[in-house]
Amino acid sequence: MKAYLVWLSVFIWSLPLYAGSQAEPAFIQMFNQGKRAQIIQYLSDNMAKSQLDTYGLDAQVDMFLGDQATYGKLTFVKTLPDADGNDVFEVISGNNQFTYNLTINKEPQEPHKINYFEFLSAGSVDQAKTPVSATEFAQQLSGFINKVASHDAFSGAVLVAKDKEVIFKGAVGFADRRWKVKNTVDTRFSLASMNKMFTAIAALQLIEQGKLTFDDKLIQFVDKSWLPMKHAEAITIRHLLTHTSGLGNFFNDAFIQSNKEIYRDLAGYKPLIAKSELLFTPGSQNRYSNSGMLMLGLVIEKVSGESYYDYIQKHIYDKAKMPGSGSFELDSTTENIASGYLKRMHSDDWVDSVYTREIKGSPAGGGFSTIDDLYQFSLALTEFKLLGKALTEQAYSAKTEFNSAPWYGYGFAVGGKPDNRIVGHSGAYLGVDSRLDIHLDKGFVVVILANQSGVVGPMRRKINELIALYQ
């Protein structure tokens, strides 16, 4: 997710940002009018070398094209005061009509090439606005979803519930663009990193049963041939749960170049992880780690005596009544699977991301679910049907005392305010965007699943605005 956001930042140039003193900034002109070939040249010439070296030109172009699809034509409103040397412009998205502060981060040295850019939400809900009932909530959200879908800026399914009553459920776009198969509320969407919640709950179940402890060492359960040469003996279960192990990300160059068919079980991932260097001493800092979550899956297998996939099916999906969920192999004939789509450097059309994915999801992500299943998961979680109250609440409370990120617990994102705590997880990959938000204090559950890159943000923003007005 963070890698995606960093890319999506990647975009701003050292061309003069203004066509004239009061004119529309040159970046916005390119965003609104630039075609694929022009964008490729523009980014080649004007992005910081460090960004091109780190992420590659193709990734930068892909993300820019994706942002064009998500935000549409930008209306330039005004130039805002510089923020820490960044250029900031107020703009309005043509696709969703939201106002954003388009923030452009440039290198401090001449010629000030672009490090990244990002669309930051601007403004807040007008508290004088008329409160909305459940019916009005559903009507306004339906109108918004249909509007952005008409611009091809959202393809997916959305569910919103309040106090155990579903007040909105709908789907738009295509599960398969080639054959014009429409998404439905029963479509299975890839979750990307949202699966980390299930992996964390599985480990916490084993801890609750006394079969595992937070302070147990990874080396007790995993053959040392999997592990880095130095400091591996210090990695604990807690480190894996909090992304403080120092293990990195197996979605690396070796993964990109590999045959994705080999990833049918956890052993297939070993060449991507074995003998890699730790990024830091375990427990000393944090770095979001797909490799760490995969290792936690290995621990679950060792302790439970079941395959990771069988354990999750039996102890989470079955218990939470999630019949549409699973880590389905992409070459299977599983029904109601949505293909993932995105814009790519090599094509003017939407591109199916199937060839970029592992053939079967892992403990780090890549499984499938539906909006109804994730709603059932949220109920089972908060009614303590998967874990007792103590460990459940530990799962979605911040763990800064262990050097974890302030927005992360044990496999759950933690956000909101003291009187409006929001927990859940997001997921993003090529052609995948997903979000589960459980509003613990206000009683809302929000599920957004999309088979299109980078489209959840505006949808979540609209839903949160409606939640603030709900009465």
Side-chain angles (χ1 to χ4, degrees):
M1 177 68 178
K2 286 191 173 177
Y4 172 86
L5 292 176
V6 169
W7 135 246
L8 138 48
S9 315
V10 156
F11 225 140
I12 296 348
W13 348 156
S14 60
L15 288 181
L17 285 174
Y18 303 95
S21 59
Q22 299 299 319
E24 183 178 78
F27 165 70
I28 296 177
Q29 293 180 21
M30 175 58 67
F31 195 92
N32 288 342
Q33 302 170 23
K35 303 301 182 184
R36 183 165 56 94
Q38 295 171 302
I39 291 165
I40 291 170
Q41 188 61 55
Y42 198 53
L43 294 179
S44 298
D45 293 343
N46 294 287
M47 282 198 56
K49 184 177 183 299
S50 61
Q51 297 294 322
L52 292 173
D53 289 347
T54 300
Y55 301 105
L57 177 62
D58 55 347
Q60 319 301 350
V61 174
D62 292 353
M63 294 298 296
F64 185 77
L65 293 171
D67 282 349
Q68 280 185 319
T70 297
Y71 296 100
K73 301 288 186 182
L74 303 178
T75 299
F76 171 58
V77 179
K78 62 184 176 182
T79 300
L80 298 172
D82 290 355
D84 297 323
N86 299 331
D87 292 315
V88 185
F89 306 110
E90 185 176 311
V91 299
I92 299 173
S93 161
N95 285 355
N96 59 52
Q97 297 303 306
F98 283 134
T99 299
Y100 294 90
N101 290 344
L102 172 59
T103 302
I104 300 171
N105 183 286
K106 303 175 297 183
E107 291 182 310
Q109 68 275 15
E110 298 251 352
H112 306 299
K113 290 199 172 187
I114 304 311
N115 288 320
Y116 64 86
F117 83 87
E118 56 189 338
F119 288 90
L120 300 177
S121 297
S124 58
V125 178
D126 182 358
Q127 296 303 322
K129 210 168 178 180
T130 306
V132 297
S133 65
T135 299
E136 292 163 335
F137 187 113
Q139 290 173 342
Q140 291 190 33
L141 182 54
S142 178
F144 180 81
I145 290 175
N146 289 329
K147 178 177 68 177
V148 294
S150 72
H151 294 294
D152 220 0
F154 182 81
S155 175
V158 176
L159 180 149
V160 181
K162 166 65 172 169
D163 296 333
K164 298 187 181 180
E165 178 186 355
V166 175
I167 60 176
F168 178 85
K169 184 163 61 171
V172 294
F174 292 101
D176 189 308
R177 286 177 177 264
R178 179 179 300 168
W179 297 104
K180 303 300 182 186
V181 178
K182 291 184 178 181
N183 284 319
T184 73
V185 294
D186 297 318
T187 299
R188 294 168 161 125
F189 294 88
S190 178
L191 300 180
S193 285
M194 282 179 65
N195 282 99
K196 290 181 173 70
M197 295 184 297
F198 309 143
T199 302
I201 290 296
L204 292 171
Q205 287 175 340
L206 296 172
I207 289 172
E208 189 171 61
Q209 295 164 21
K211 298 177 181 179
L212 191 64
T213 74
F214 287 112
D215 295 322
D216 280 343
K217 300 295 178 61
L218 174 61
I219 195 71
Q220 297 172 229
F221 310 99
V222 176
D223 186 86
K224 66 180 181 181
S225 63
W226 274 86
L227 300 172
M229 299 298 290
K230 295 181 180 180
H231 306 299
E233 69 283 352
I235 299 173
T236 66
I237 303 305
R238 195 190 312 274
H239 293 149
L240 299 176
L241 283 164
T242 56
H243 297 280
T244 58
S245 68
L247 293 166
N249 183 7
F250 62 74
F251 289 115
N252 48 29
D253 288 341
F255 173 82
I256 292 171
Q257 296 165 15
S258 67
N259 175 7
K260 308 303 185 292
E261 191 173 346
I262 67 176
Y263 306 116
R264 293 185 188 271
D265 56 26
L266 304 197
Y269 292 86
K270 185 175 181 179
L272 302 176
I273 299 174
K275 306 299 184 183
S276 59
E277 296 284 334
L278 285 181
L279 301 175
F280 48 82
T281 302
S284 65
Q285 52 185 292
N286 65 79
R287 176 77 66 87
Y288 192 77
S289 174
N290 286 304
S291 297
M293 276 290 169
L294 190 126
M295 289 295 190
L296 195 56
L298 291 171
V299 174
I300 291 165
E301 290 192 332
K302 182 70 172 180
V303 174
S304 71
E306 303 176 60
S307 78
Y308 169 80
Y309 304 104
D310 288 345
Y311 186 94
I312 298 298
Q313 182 67 53
K314 184 186 303 182
H315 300 281
I316 295 180
Y317 296 154
D318 290 349
K319 277 191 175 181
K321 300 179 181 177
M322 302 168 66
S325 302
S327 292
F328 309 118
E329 295 180 341
L330 296 182
D331 59 355
S332 72
T333 57
T334 306
E335 295 180 348
N336 296 331
I337 292 282
S339 295
Y341 295 96
L342 70 159
K343 295 290 187 175
R344 300 299 302 266
M345 177 175 172
H346 66 270
S347 175
D348 287 321
D349 199 358
W350 291 96
V351 175
D352 190 330
S353 66
V354 65
Y355 295 109
T356 69
R357 301 190 203 177
E358 67 273 47
I359 202 161
K360 188 173 184 176
S362 77
F368 288 81
S369 192
T370 68
I371 53 174
D372 279 315
D373 277 14
L374 288 169
Y375 174 52
Q376 291 302 317
F377 170 75
S378 73
L379 295 179
L381 179 75
T382 55
E383 292 171 2
F384 313 119
K385 294 179 178 178
L386 301 176
L387 274 176
K389 183 177 180 181
L391 276 180
T392 298
E393 293 181 346
Q394 282 192 50
Y396 47 63
S397 62
K399 296 290 177 290
T400 53
E401 68 271 29
F402 299 114
N403 287 326
S404 184
W407 53 270
Y408 212 79
Y410 291 141
F412 283 78
V414 180
K417 299 178 180 178
D419 63 344
N420 181 25
R421 296 167 297 158
I422 303 172
V423 302
H425 214 288
S426 62
Y429 191 62
L430 302 177
V432 179
D433 207 7
S434 61
R435 186 86 198 192
L436 171 65
D437 283 336
I438 304 170
H439 295 245
L440 295 174
D441 302 301
K442 291 194 173 184
F444 284 92
V445 174
V446 178
V447 186
I448 309 171
L449 301 180
N451 60 325
Q452 187 175 331
S453 292
V455 294
V456 162
M459 192 63 59
R460 187 177 184 231
R461 179 173 172 179
K462 181 62 178 179
I463 292 169
N464 284 340
E465 285 193 358
L466 290 172
I467 286 174
L469 296 170
Y470 185 87
Q471 283 193 357

